[in-house]
Amino acid sequence: WPLAGTLLVAVAASMVAGGEDCLWYVDRNGSWHPGFDCEFFTFCCGTCHQRYCCRDPLRLLTERQQRHCLAF
């Protein structure tokens, strides 16, 4: 049952995070990329150095996590 609870939380997070924006970032080569909006029911996914919109809640990169990337 713990796996079912984790899945339920992930699905709920994905619904709440629909339309989550990808903030600007710098990739591994030092190139700057402007921020962009994700469509409804999609959200920002990826890493500190590569971002894209997706529907997979396990790849969700919250705006808080993105801001943390900027600090380092």
Side-chain angles (χ1 to χ4, degrees):
W1 290 108
L3 180 59
T6 302
L7 183 59
L8 182 60
V9 169
V11 170
S14 70
M15 296 181 87
V16 170
E20 187 85 7
D21 297 336
C22 284
L23 304 177
W24 69 270
Y25 67 99
V26 177
D27 66 21
R28 293 190 189 279
N29 296 323
S31 298
W32 180 84
H33 297 268
F36 53 92
D37 295 335
C38 293
E39 295 179 10
F40 194 65
F41 286 119
T42 65
F43 36 80
C44 192
C45 298
T47 66
C48 288
H49 304 291
Q50 181 184 15
R51 299 186 189 157
Y52 53 92
C53 297
C54 77
R55 291 188 171 115
D56 184 351
L58 299 177
R59 296 184 180 182
L60 171 67
L61 189 62
T62 66
E63 288 186 15
R64 181 178 180 178
Q65 290 169 318
Q66 294 176 63
R67 284 191 296 274
H68 183 76
C69 291
L70 299 175
F72 296 98

